[in-house]
Amino acid sequence: MSGHLIRFGLTGVVNTAVYYGLYLLFLLSLPYQAAHVLAFALSVVGSFFLHSWFTYRTRPTWRKFFAFPLTTAANFLITTGGIHLLVNVLHTDRRTAPLLAAACAIPITFALTRAIMLPPTTPAAEPARGNQPDPPRTRARQDTGEDWSPRLAR
């Protein structure tokens, strides 16, 4: 799991840079609101594929693709509520509140992203009676959902 968490963080850094680069590019010809929405939408799509291929090394599926924005919505709600709480209740500086709120959202966003991107764990076989340790849980190898990648002709 620590490997996933490190790759999750790296993906977040890359995704933020992609968003900001696209935002600045779109800002050359669009109003800032339109530039933000378009850059944000494209960065969510990019984030989905980065998390699929790099963070969790799993096959992208349509089901995962359509569920993935829930992680972004959760992040938005947590950070927005966190900023409000930090600034209005705890009297934190408005410039640092978003960073603190984002840090608080990371574990929840990580857990949601992991739940969407990885197949559910399969129950381990019933261990034999006695003082033997439980066998380790393994991830199911077969992913469900429609395959995102195109079928290659043989």
Side-chain angles (χ1 to χ4, degrees):
M1 175 152 55
S2 64
H4 286 162
L5 188 57
I6 291 168
R7 290 190 303 268
F8 181 84
L10 291 172
T11 298
V13 169
V14 168
N15 188 54
T16 301
V18 167
Y19 159 78
Y20 192 61
L22 289 172
Y23 173 76
L24 293 175
L25 178 68
F26 295 145
L27 201 55
L28 296 172
S29 60
L30 297 172
Y32 75 91
Q33 299 96 333
H36 164 69
V37 169
L38 189 56
F40 188 84
L42 290 173
S43 70
V44 168
V45 172
S47 181
F48 168 75
F49 286 106
L50 281 172
H51 282 304
S52 289
W53 295 324
F54 176 67
T55 305
Y56 298 107
R57 298 180 178 153
T58 186
R59 177 183 302 155
T61 64
W62 285 108
R63 185 184 54 153
K64 291 176 190 176
F65 181 76
F66 288 115
F68 185 76
L70 296 174
T71 66
T72 305
N75 188 309
F76 178 79
L77 292 173
I78 293 164
T79 55
T80 302
I83 291 169
H84 175 77
L85 176 72
L86 288 164
V87 171
N88 295 318
V89 177
L90 300 175
H91 308 292
T92 305
D93 187 307
R94 292 179 298 173
R95 292 171 292 204
T96 58
L99 299 174
L100 295 171
C104 292
I106 289 171
I108 296 165
T109 306
F110 174 73
L112 288 172
T113 303
R114 185 176 167 90
I116 289 171
M117 299 307 259
L118 293 178
T121 57
T122 57
E126 186 68 32
R129 301 276 180 203
N131 292 332
Q132 297 178 358
D134 290 339
R137 293 178 62 122
T138 58
R139 293 228 165 257
R141 290 196 171 258
Q142 184 177 14
D143 198 1
T144 58
E146 185 179 339
D147 189 354
W148 176 273
S149 58
R151 305 274 185 226
L152 298 176
R154 290 197 165 153

Tab-separated table of all heavy atoms in Angstrom, residues 1 7-9 23 29 31 35 42 44 51 80 84-85 88 90 103 105 111 113 115 123 137 146 149-150:
chain	number	residue	atom	x	y	z
A	1	MET	N	0.818	-1.192	0.000
A	1	MET	CA	0.000	0.000	0.000
A	1	MET	C	0.860	1.253	0.000
A	1	MET	O	0.467	2.258	-0.559
A	1	MET	CB	-0.945	0.011	1.191
A	1	MET	CG	-1.695	1.305	1.247
A	1	MET	SD	-3.305	1.424	1.973
A	1	MET	CE	-3.180	0.804	3.578
A	7	ARG	N	2.919	6.647	-5.289
A	7	ARG	CA	2.525	6.898	-6.679
A	7	ARG	C	1.283	7.785	-6.750
A	7	ARG	O	1.148	8.610	-7.661
A	7	ARG	CB	2.317	5.570	-7.416
A	7	ARG	CG	3.631	4.822	-7.653
A	7	ARG	CD	3.481	3.634	-8.580
A	7	ARG	NE	2.511	2.654	-8.161
A	7	ARG	CZ	2.787	1.585	-7.418
A	7	ARG	NH1	4.016	1.350	-7.016
A	7	ARG	NH2	1.830	0.738	-7.096
A	8	PHE	N	0.385	7.648	-5.762
A	8	PHE	CA	-0.798	8.512	-5.676
A	8	PHE	C	-0.360	9.969	-5.531
A	8	PHE	O	-0.880	10.861	-6.209
A	8	PHE	CB	-1.668	8.078	-4.484
A	8	PHE	CG	-2.915	8.882	-4.309
A	8	PHE	CD1	-4.065	8.571	-5.026
A	8	PHE	CD2	-2.962	9.938	-3.415
A	8	PHE	CE1	-5.230	9.300	-4.853
A	8	PHE	CE2	-4.130	10.672	-3.239
A	8	PHE	CZ	-5.261	10.354	-3.965
A	9	GLY	N	0.603	10.216	-4.656
A	9	GLY	CA	1.110	11.570	-4.456
A	9	GLY	C	1.785	12.122	-5.697
A	9	GLY	O	1.568	13.283	-6.076
A	23	TYR	N	-4.815	25.330	-17.861
A	23	TYR	CA	-5.525	26.547	-17.454
A	23	TYR	C	-4.850	27.776	-18.075
A	23	TYR	O	-5.509	28.625	-18.665
A	23	TYR	CB	-5.559	26.651	-15.934
A	23	TYR	CG	-6.124	27.955	-15.430
A	23	TYR	CD1	-7.496	28.194	-15.460
A	23	TYR	CD2	-5.288	28.951	-14.923
A	23	TYR	CE1	-8.020	29.399	-14.998
A	23	TYR	CE2	-5.794	30.145	-14.461
A	23	TYR	CZ	-7.158	30.367	-14.502
A	23	TYR	OH	-7.677	31.550	-14.054
A	29	SER	N	-7.225	32.361	-24.650
A	29	SER	CA	-8.336	32.613	-25.569
A	29	SER	C	-9.724	32.470	-24.937
A	29	SER	O	-10.717	32.685	-25.624
A	29	SER	CB	-8.233	31.689	-26.784
A	29	SER	OG	-8.280	30.339	-26.366
A	31	PRO	N	-12.389	33.027	-21.271
A	31	PRO	CA	-12.522	33.647	-19.948
A	31	PRO	C	-12.006	32.684	-18.866
A	31	PRO	O	-11.982	31.464	-19.071
A	31	PRO	CB	-14.025	33.858	-19.791
A	31	PRO	CG	-14.613	33.683	-21.143
A	31	PRO	CD	-13.657	32.858	-21.946
A	35	ALA	N	-11.773	28.581	-18.863
A	35	ALA	CA	-10.431	27.983	-18.843
A	35	ALA	C	-10.308	27.014	-17.669
A	35	ALA	O	-9.764	25.910	-17.816
A	35	ALA	CB	-9.371	29.072	-18.755
A	42	LEU	N	-10.358	18.115	-18.237
A	42	LEU	CA	-9.304	17.360	-18.908
A	42	LEU	C	-8.314	16.766	-17.906
A	42	LEU	O	-7.833	15.649	-18.091
A	42	LEU	CB	-8.577	18.240	-19.920
A	42	LEU	CG	-9.396	18.612	-21.162
A	42	LEU	CD1	-8.643	19.621	-22.008
A	42	LEU	CD2	-9.759	17.379	-21.965
A	44	VAL	N	-9.036	15.764	-14.899
A	44	VAL	CA	-9.693	14.622	-14.250
A	44	VAL	C	-9.568	13.387	-15.135
A	44	VAL	O	-9.272	12.288	-14.651
A	44	VAL	CB	-11.172	14.926	-13.917
A	44	VAL	CG1	-11.928	13.666	-13.519
A	44	VAL	CG2	-11.268	15.954	-12.808
A	51	HIS	N	-3.847	7.231	-12.698
A	51	HIS	CA	-4.115	6.346	-11.563
A	51	HIS	C	-4.292	4.900	-12.023
A	51	HIS	O	-3.849	3.977	-11.339
A	51	HIS	CB	-5.334	6.814	-10.763
A	51	HIS	CG	-5.062	7.957	-9.856
A	51	HIS	ND1	-4.079	7.926	-8.890
A	51	HIS	CD2	-5.630	9.172	-9.758
A	51	HIS	CE1	-4.061	9.073	-8.236
A	51	HIS	NE2	-4.988	9.849	-8.756
A	80	THR	N	-13.483	22.202	0.499
A	80	THR	CA	-14.327	23.385	0.657
A	80	THR	C	-14.820	23.513	2.098
A	80	THR	O	-14.724	24.588	2.701
A	80	THR	CB	-15.524	23.333	-0.312
A	80	THR	OG1	-15.019	23.241	-1.649
A	80	THR	CG2	-16.399	24.561	-0.187
A	84	HIS	N	-13.587	26.390	4.992
A	84	HIS	CA	-14.567	27.148	5.781
A	84	HIS	C	-14.300	26.971	7.285
A	84	HIS	O	-14.260	27.947	8.041
A	84	HIS	CB	-15.990	26.711	5.439
A	84	HIS	CG	-17.015	27.362	6.283
A	84	HIS	ND1	-17.432	28.663	6.082
A	84	HIS	CD2	-17.695	26.919	7.379
A	84	HIS	CE1	-18.328	28.977	7.004
A	84	HIS	NE2	-18.505	27.930	7.799
A	85	LEU	N	-14.124	25.730	7.704
A	85	LEU	CA	-13.862	25.441	9.107
A	85	LEU	C	-12.563	26.092	9.582
A	85	LEU	O	-12.519	26.731	10.636
A	85	LEU	CB	-13.802	23.918	9.322
A	85	LEU	CG	-13.440	23.438	10.722
A	85	LEU	CD1	-14.600	23.694	11.673
A	85	LEU	CD2	-13.098	21.966	10.693
A	88	ASN	N	-13.081	30.245	9.237
A	88	ASN	CA	-14.142	30.883	10.017
A	88	ASN	C	-14.246	30.407	11.455
A	88	ASN	O	-14.703	31.162	12.314
A	88	ASN	CB	-15.487	30.703	9.315
A	88	ASN	CG	-15.513	31.431	7.991
A	88	ASN	OD1	-15.033	32.551	7.883
A	88	ASN	ND2	-16.051	30.789	6.978
A	90	LEU	N	-11.580	28.188	13.103
A	90	LEU	CA	-10.263	28.081	13.733
A	90	LEU	C	-9.372	29.294	13.449
A	90	LEU	O	-8.243	29.346	13.931
A	90	LEU	CB	-9.575	26.791	13.276
A	90	LEU	CG	-10.333	25.501	13.615
A	90	LEU	CD1	-9.628	24.301	13.025
A	90	LEU	CD2	-10.503	25.354	15.115
A	103	ALA	N	-4.470	18.689	2.507
A	103	ALA	CA	-3.732	17.619	3.199
A	103	ALA	C	-4.687	16.706	3.956
A	103	ALA	O	-4.489	15.485	3.993
A	103	ALA	CB	-2.695	18.227	4.149
A	105	ALA	N	-7.705	16.045	3.064
A	105	ALA	CA	-8.501	15.301	2.084
A	105	ALA	C	-7.745	14.135	1.471
A	105	ALA	O	-8.367	13.195	0.965
A	105	ALA	CB	-8.977	16.243	0.979
A	111	ALA	N	-8.314	6.613	-0.326
A	111	ALA	CA	-9.151	5.431	-0.053
A	111	ALA	C	-10.240	5.275	-1.108
A	111	ALA	O	-10.491	4.157	-1.582
A	111	ALA	CB	-9.759	5.529	1.340
A	113	THR	N	-10.238	6.488	-4.236
A	113	THR	CA	-9.611	6.155	-5.518
A	113	THR	C	-9.195	4.695	-5.542
A	113	THR	O	-9.414	3.985	-6.531
A	113	THR	CB	-8.386	7.065	-5.768
A	113	THR	OG1	-8.814	8.430	-5.709
A	113	THR	CG2	-7.765	6.793	-7.121
A	115	ALA	N	-10.499	2.232	-3.838
A	115	ALA	CA	-11.699	1.389	-3.900
A	115	ALA	C	-12.268	1.319	-5.319
A	115	ALA	O	-12.766	0.277	-5.737
A	115	ALA	CB	-12.761	1.914	-2.937
A	123	PRO	N	-12.118	-13.332	-0.563
A	123	PRO	CA	-11.911	-13.920	0.765
A	123	PRO	C	-10.896	-15.053	0.699
A	123	PRO	O	-10.881	-15.833	-0.247
A	123	PRO	CB	-13.286	-14.431	1.169
A	123	PRO	CG	-14.182	-14.259	-0.002
A	123	PRO	CD	-13.453	-13.499	-1.066
A	137	ARG	N	-4.499	-12.205	2.399
A	137	ARG	CA	-5.578	-11.950	1.439
A	137	ARG	C	-4.947	-11.554	0.111
A	137	ARG	O	-3.940	-10.889	0.076
A	137	ARG	CB	-6.480	-10.837	1.945
A	137	ARG	CG	-7.239	-11.258	3.189
A	137	ARG	CD	-8.074	-10.137	3.674
A	137	ARG	NE	-9.052	-9.783	2.657
A	137	ARG	CZ	-10.358	-9.787	2.838
A	137	ARG	NH1	-10.840	-10.099	3.991
A	137	ARG	NH2	-11.167	-9.446	1.878
A	146	GLU	N	-16.357	-3.323	-18.498
A	146	GLU	CA	-15.967	-3.334	-19.896
A	146	GLU	C	-14.557	-2.785	-20.049
A	146	GLU	O	-14.195	-1.792	-19.447
A	146	GLU	CB	-16.945	-2.484	-20.694
A	146	GLU	CG	-16.699	-2.527	-22.170
A	146	GLU	CD	-17.707	-1.684	-22.925
A	146	GLU	OE1	-18.778	-1.413	-22.386
A	146	GLU	OE2	-17.397	-1.315	-24.054
A	149	SER	N	-9.514	-0.333	-23.215
A	149	SER	CA	-8.600	-0.367	-24.353
A	149	SER	C	-9.239	-1.068	-25.540
A	149	SER	O	-10.004	-2.009	-25.394
A	149	SER	CB	-7.297	-1.070	-23.966
A	149	SER	OG	-7.573	-2.372	-23.514
A	150	PRO	N	-8.917	-0.613	-26.749
A	150	PRO	CA	-9.485	-1.259	-27.935
A	150	PRO	C	-8.948	-2.669	-28.109
A	150	PRO	O	-7.828	-2.972	-27.709
A	150	PRO	CB	-9.038	-0.355	-29.089
A	150	PRO	CG	-7.884	0.414	-28.565
A	150	PRO	CD	-8.029	0.484	-27.064
